[in-house]
Amino acid sequence: MSGLTQYRLANTLLRASRTTSPSVSYRLFHSSSSHNAAENPPPAEGFLAGLAESKFMKRTSDEVFKNPELESVSGGETKKMNLCQAVNDAMSIALATNEKAAVFGEDVAFGGVFRCTLGLAEKFGRDRVFNTPLTEQGIAGFAIGMASMGHSPIAEIQFADYIFPAFDQLVNEAAKYRYRSGGIFDVGGLTIRSPCSAVGHGGHYHSQSVESYFAHCPGLKVVIPRSPIQAKGLLLASIRDKNPTIFLEPKILYRSAVEQVPVDDYELPLGKAEVLKPGKDVTVVGWGSQIYTLENAIHMAEQQVPGLSCELIDLRSILPWDVDTVVESVNKTGRLVVAHEAPKTAGFAAEISSTVLERCFLRLESPIQRVCGWDTPFPLAFEKFYLPDRVRCFDAIKKAVEY
């Protein structure tokens, strides 16, 4: 069998496996035996340990409505949802309130590989929620065409790792559509959803964080939520924003914990970071699932360094990112730690570091610390060593403070 034939066969098998769950993909490509599931179960990862106990998860209605960003729905009903259900609820509201909205992608009519679109086809009809062929370039191109005609397509790329066949459509067509027509035409109604980041057993084709690739492209918005409340509000804002938006969902968070989520229709601001924990000694910045790793690292640091006070910021939007909030914090603390799962070289932490250095140079008390994935393909067996875990983040905080 030639190398080209082997490649084509492996690629066909790999892409066929994407219609199943990540655990099935794991068994297909990484099991060396034919033992049944009871004798040889998949790894017990796929959820974020400790997330259910996070202080940032809102467990009561009173906690939910303390957030001034939710003032528009204050006093309304809340419902317990995980992040997957919150995404589903946001799309349901978008379809109900906008007759020009449509949801499509690989397997979405069945509920999708993560079941985020479950029940939408039955509720809104298969002409508005439908499956596509397995072609990411085609999905993006079709969505751009719909958006150019005034519709609001909500297209799903089944895994962010497979968004790259659509890269040309997104960065050369969607991002530039308004600019190249002198503002006559636009595809502002376009939203691309995609599950991203580590899940515990995804390997190098189901674990990547791709935000920095798109952050380099003017004309797009890039958003990453950390929780069910955030996911619903930010997704609705992304769908209704008049710019093409890439909405990346950390898949490890889909079923890791629940929050009390407002039932009513609400939006959260794009391009605005949130200060989750005020502090005075060091600014710590992250987004998505990394927020909970940083929460644990901060807890370790404040226990081991008496009197230490860390400020934690969830960036939420990668493009545009909230420069003012981060700069204001660093001018106060004099120190900055940024963490993300993507590789360090040219990761978005580098952009944040450069901007902060330009604007806060005379206020910095120590070198800026970046805690990131290593500059390698995302590994399967060594995932725990690859990810910026709480110990690596703790070491960075300690290094910044003790410099």
Side-chain angles (χ1 to χ4, degrees):
M1 185 181 293
S2 70
L4 180 59
T5 303
Q6 287 178 319
Y7 169 79
R8 286 173 173 166
L9 176 59
N11 195 47
T12 300
L13 288 170
L14 176 62
R15 291 171 72 82
S17 76
R18 289 161 53 203
T19 60
T20 62
S21 69
S23 62
V24 173
S25 296
Y26 178 93
R27 290 197 298 273
L28 178 60
F29 290 98
H30 303 290
S31 174
S32 59
S33 70
S34 58
H35 294 169
N36 62 41
E39 295 172 342
N40 188 27
E45 295 108 343
F47 66 95
L48 197 60
L51 174 57
E53 289 75 43
S54 170
K55 293 181 179 179
F56 304 137
M57 301 297 291
K58 309 302 181 185
R59 298 173 181 83
T60 68
S61 295
D62 289 341
E63 288 181 318
V64 171
F65 295 124
K66 287 180 181 177
N67 183 350
E69 292 181 343
L70 296 174
E71 185 177 358
S72 65
V73 291
S74 181
E77 180 186 356
T78 63
K79 182 179 179 181
K80 189 180 290 186
M81 299 183 197
N82 58 32
L83 194 142
C84 176
Q85 293 167 322
V87 166
N88 181 286
D89 192 41
M91 286 188 283
S92 181
I93 290 173
L95 288 164
T97 57
N98 180 2
E99 63 181 13
K100 291 190 173 183
V103 173
F104 52 88
E106 297 160 16
D107 302 323
V108 300
F110 309 137
V113 70
F114 292 105
R115 301 299 182 260
C116 289
T117 54
L118 193 66
L120 295 181
E122 291 75 14
K123 186 175 181 180
F124 296 100
R126 294 184 181 273
D127 58 337
R128 297 185 67 198
V129 181
F130 52 89
N131 295 329
T132 66
L134 201 160
T135 166
E136 288 80 7
Q137 184 179 22
I139 292 168
F142 180 72
I144 291 167
M146 280 191 70
S148 72
M149 299 304 294
H151 291 267
S152 298
I154 307 165
E156 178 182 300
I157 302 297
Q158 197 170 83
F159 287 89
D161 313 66
Y162 294 100
I163 204 168
F164 298 113
F167 196 76
D168 175 63
Q169 288 291 322
L170 295 174
V171 304
N172 273 336
E173 303 298 338
K176 298 172 174 63
Y177 211 94
R178 179 185 284 117
Y179 180 81
R180 74 177 190 177
S181 70
I184 299 173
F185 308 110
D186 70 80
V187 292
L190 171 65
T191 304
I192 302 287
R193 291 181 45 249
S194 191
C196 70
S197 304
V199 70
H201 51 249
H204 52 287
Y205 284 134
H206 298 83
S207 305
Q208 295 175 78
S209 298
V210 301
E211 62 270 17
S212 62
Y213 289 98
F214 296 100
H216 190 66
C217 183
L220 298 174
K221 290 192 175 183
V222 182
V223 181
I224 307 179
R226 71 170 186 273
S227 72
I229 290 173
Q230 296 291 313
K232 179 177 176 178
L234 290 172
L235 181 53
L236 280 168
S238 298
I239 293 168
R240 293 164 177 167
D241 192 84
K242 298 307 179 184
N243 295 280
T245 302
I246 297 175
F247 191 84
L248 300 172
E249 302 161 9
K251 54 187 173 287
I252 200 169
L253 300 181
Y254 276 145
R255 292 173 175 83
S256 291
V258 296
E259 276 189 311
Q260 290 292 334
V261 179
V263 173
D264 293 334
D265 184 344
Y266 68 93
E267 299 176 29
L268 293 173
L270 304 184
K272 179 64 179 174
E274 183 178 4
V275 179
L276 297 176
K277 177 185 178 300
K280 60 181 178 61
D281 297 315
V282 57
T283 299
V284 182
V285 176
W287 49 89
S289 51
Q290 192 64 29
I291 287 296
Y292 304 104
T293 301
L294 291 170
E295 180 186 17
N296 291 328
I298 287 170
H299 181 69
M300 288 177 62
E302 291 182 342
Q303 278 191 325
Q304 295 195 25
V305 182
L308 178 65
S309 172
C310 303
E311 181 150 296
L312 178 59
I313 297 175
D314 177 7
L315 212 55
R316 299 197 291 190
S317 291
I318 304 301
L319 188 67
W321 69 283
D322 189 353
V323 177
D324 292 341
T325 294
V326 176
V327 165
E328 181 181 355
S329 176
V330 176
N331 276 332
K332 174 179 65 176
T333 66
R335 302 172 182 88
L336 174 63
V337 175
V338 188
H340 59 61
E341 289 184 15
K344 184 175 185 178
T345 299
F348 199 68
E351 175 64 26
I352 297 171
S353 300
S354 176
T355 301
V356 168
L357 192 63
E358 291 170 356
R359 301 199 182 193
C360 308
F361 181 76
L362 296 178
R363 302 299 296 270
L364 287 173
E365 300 287 345
S366 66
I368 296 168
Q369 303 294 315
R370 289 181 288 159
V371 194
C372 311
W374 304 114
D375 289 333
T376 70
F378 196 104
L380 176 69
F382 300 110
E383 177 172 316
K384 288 180 171 62
F385 302 101
Y386 175 89
L387 293 174
D389 62 12
R390 67 172 183 168
V391 174
R392 286 176 60 196
C393 293
F394 162 76
D395 287 342
I397 293 171
K398 195 164 180 285
K399 186 175 180 180
V401 171
E402 294 181 348
Y403 179 81

